[in-house]
């Protein structure tokens, strides 16, 4: 039987439902015949039709482009990715797609492209054409300050140097391995500290949702939580970031995170965090949360929680921003830096 990947079938169901339906029928169809020869011919005929449907050049080409689109964006469009987004993917405009992924309020590709180009123009000459440049741009389009973006880029450079040193010395002694691991972990901690600092100073809405997650997970008490909530709500108010807060609450990853909130955490979100948000925005946000994560729809909640786990996994292969056209779409996307986009979600 011809093997067809689950992702390719997902693409077909979203864009060629008739083809997907026929393939599903064929793949469950049993060969017919009165003798082994007839059965073999029947099986060969089924396999040939499956191959013909699955290998159609036009559909395969469109799938290869579709696969380059970040999964979050594909999910946002229920698999039916608009032509202009597919065009950006076909041109390998990874940063443009990242902007659209992280900013669901941005609907137009040309607007996302402008933001990505502005971020790329800020890349310091000292780190141009390195993996650190990719980190800088990804951090910038995710909302980090220029100084934080540079710190994250430099930390990436340090880890690249550590990795190169390890590759150059494959027979490290136990003491050398210990020192190397300590240096690596210190660099990772510096990245987390940079993220925390930038969240507190420039993106308080992100730190606010982070500590709500820690409270929800039982990692901090309510007495520890409430003073921090009050402080961060004040920072959001002072810096006029109510719009940023509402936008952040609408992102898929944060919606998934909120889907795991207990009633007490949701109550704090509604009555403390959203206390100074315009009533229309507050009502719309809470109605969306309540309709999407109703207790009476346990199946949906389980699905969303599973999706949240998948979305919060950090890429372990962020080695570089590849430009080699021979790399697959999965390889290109897997190598994109992601820690600054997910912030401190792994902590809670």
């Amino acid at each position: 039987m011809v093997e067809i990947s689950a992702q390719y079938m997902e693409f077909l169901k979203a864009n060629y439902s008739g083809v997907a339906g026929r393939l599903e029928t064929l793949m469950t169809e049993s060969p017919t015949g009165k003798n082994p020869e007839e059965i073999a011919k029947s099986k060969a005929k089924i396999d040939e039709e499956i191959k013909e449907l699955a290998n159609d050049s036009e559909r395969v080409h469109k799938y290869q482009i579709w696969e380059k689109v970040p999964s979050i964006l594909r999910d946002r469009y229920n698999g039916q990715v608009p032509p202009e987004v597919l065009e950006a993917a076909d041109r390998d405009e990874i940063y443009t797609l990242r902007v659209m992924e992280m900013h669901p309020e941005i609907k137009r590709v040309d607007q996302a492209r402008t933001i990505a180009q502005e971020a790329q123009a800020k890349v310091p000459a000292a780190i141009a054409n390195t993996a650190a440049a990719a980190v800088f741009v990804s951090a910038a389009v995710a909302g980090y300050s220029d100084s934080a973006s540079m710190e994250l880029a430099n930390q990436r450079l340090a880890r690249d140097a550590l990795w190169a040193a390890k590759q150059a010395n494959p027979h490290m002694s136990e003491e050398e391995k210990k020192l190397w691991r300590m240096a690596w972990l210190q660099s990772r901690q510096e990245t987390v500290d940079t993220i925390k600092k930038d969240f507190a100073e420039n993106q308080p809405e992100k730190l606010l949702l982070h500590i709500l997650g820690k409270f929800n997970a039982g990692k901090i008490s309510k007495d520890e939580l409430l003073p921090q909530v009050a402080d961060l709500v004040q920072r959001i108010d002072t810096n006029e970031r109510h719009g940023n807060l509402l936008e952040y609450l609408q992102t898929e990853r944060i919606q998934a995170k909120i889907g795991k909130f207990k009633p007490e955490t949701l109550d704090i979100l509604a009555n403390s965090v959203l206390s100074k948000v315009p009533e229309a925005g507050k009502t719309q946000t809470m109605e969306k949360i309540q309709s999407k994560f109703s207790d009476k729809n346990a199946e949906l909640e389980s699905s969303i929680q599973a999706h949240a786990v998948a979305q919060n996994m950090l890429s372990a292969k962020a080695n570089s921003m590849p430009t080699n056209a021979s790399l697959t779409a999965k390889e290109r996307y897997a190598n994109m830096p992601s820690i600054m986009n997910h912030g401190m979600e792994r902590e809670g």
Side-chain angles (χ1 to χ4, degrees):
M1 179 63 69
V2 178
E3 293 292 330
I4 298 177
S5 72
Q7 184 164 278
Y8 186 45
M9 185 60 77
E10 176 190 340
F11 161 77
L12 292 174
K13 286 181 179 179
N15 298 279
Y16 302 95
S17 58
V19 173
R22 178 58 181 161
L23 281 170
E24 288 183 325
T25 298
L26 289 168
M27 288 188 293
T28 56
E29 188 173 318
S30 299
T32 58
K34 297 179 180 179
N35 55 59
E37 184 178 351
E38 289 182 354
I39 292 173
K41 286 182 178 180
S42 176
K43 181 180 182 303
K45 185 178 180 180
I46 292 172
D47 283 351
E48 185 60 32
E49 185 176 355
I50 290 175
K51 285 181 182 178
E52 184 178 343
L53 289 171
N55 296 332
D56 177 83
S57 60
E58 181 181 342
R59 287 194 288 270
V60 169
H61 178 63
K62 185 175 179 180
Y63 170 68
Q64 290 170 340
I65 298 171
W66 181 89
E67 193 181 21
K68 296 180 185 180
V69 178
S71 59
I72 291 177
L73 268 183
R74 295 202 302 259
D75 291 346
R76 191 176 299 160
Y77 296 118
N78 295 317
Q80 296 179 325
V81 181
E84 60 270 25
V85 178
L86 288 174
E87 182 183 355
D90 191 28
R91 293 168 56 177
D92 286 333
E93 294 186 47
I94 294 177
Y95 292 136
T96 298
L97 297 175
R98 295 288 279 184
V99 171
M100 298 192 75
E101 175 189 353
M102 292 180 287
H103 299 280
E105 74 279 6
I106 296 176
K107 309 296 183 184
R108 292 170 46 191
V109 171
D110 58 349
Q111 185 182 1
R113 183 177 292 123
T114 298
I115 293 172
Q117 290 171 346
E118 289 173 351
Q120 285 177 279
K122 294 180 179 180
V123 175
I127 65 169
N129 302 317
T130 68
V135 173
F136 182 96
V137 176
S138 288
V141 299
Y144 288 77
S145 66
D146 288 351
S147 61
S149 298
M150 193 63 214
E151 286 180 24
L152 291 166
N154 283 331
Q155 289 153 9
R156 174 55 189 274
L157 281 176
R159 286 195 289 276
D160 283 349
L162 282 170
W163 184 254
K166 184 178 182 181
Q167 295 298 103
N169 184 13
H171 305 295
M172 287 183 176
S173 66
E174 288 304 314
E175 182 62 23
E176 287 174 325
K177 288 179 182 178
K178 180 180 178 181
L179 291 172
W180 185 92
R181 180 169 175 74
M182 287 174 60
W184 182 272
L185 292 176
Q186 180 181 345
S187 178
R188 297 295 294 182
Q189 185 58 50
E190 288 172 357
T191 293
V192 171
D193 291 343
T194 298
I195 291 170
K196 284 182 178 179
K197 184 173 182 287
D198 195 72
F199 276 11
E201 294 178 355
N202 303 301
Q203 305 177 76
E205 65 281 355
K206 293 183 179 180
L207 183 56
L208 184 53
L209 266 294
H210 170 65
I211 64 169
L212 278 174
K214 292 186 72 172
F215 169 73
N216 193 71
K219 295 181 179 179
I220 60 173
S221 68
K222 192 170 184 179
D223 288 341
E224 292 173 301
L225 170 73
L226 292 180
Q228 295 183 69
V229 168
D231 176 59
L232 290 167
V233 167
Q234 182 60 51
R235 292 189 196 187
I236 290 170
D237 189 42
T238 301
N239 297 321
E240 298 182 347
R241 292 187 65 86
H242 301 113
N244 301 84
L245 171 61
L246 289 175
E247 287 172 5
Y248 192 53
L249 287 170
Q250 298 298 322
T251 60
E252 286 92 340
R253 183 170 54 82
I254 296 306
Q255 284 280 305
K257 183 185 184 83
I258 294 171
K260 296 182 284 186
F261 279 3
K262 299 168 185 174
E264 184 179 19
T265 313
L266 282 174
D267 183 63
I268 293 171
L269 173 64
N271 298 313
S272 297
V273 174
L274 298 177
S275 60
K276 295 188 178 181
V277 168
E279 194 61 35
K282 175 179 177 179
T283 301
Q284 181 183 19
T285 299
M286 294 310 296
E287 284 180 350
K288 183 174 181 179
I289 292 169
Q290 289 166 359
S291 65
K292 195 170 185 179
F293 303 112
S294 172
D295 287 340
K296 64 183 178 182
N297 198 339
E299 182 179 349
L300 176 61
E301 183 174 348
S302 296
S303 172
I304 290 170
Q305 289 185 16
H307 181 68
V309 172
Q311 296 300 341
N312 286 339
M313 289 178 64
L314 296 176
S315 170
K317 297 181 179 179
N319 297 321
S320 65
M321 174 58 70
T323 56
N324 190 333
S326 67
L327 291 178
T328 67
K330 286 183 180 179
E331 288 171 332
R332 277 194 294 271
Y333 192 64
N335 284 328
M336 292 169 63
S338 60
I339 186 169
M340 72 288 297
N341 305 316
H342 295 285
M344 299 169 287
E345 293 306 310
R346 296 183 93 183
E347 292 187 12

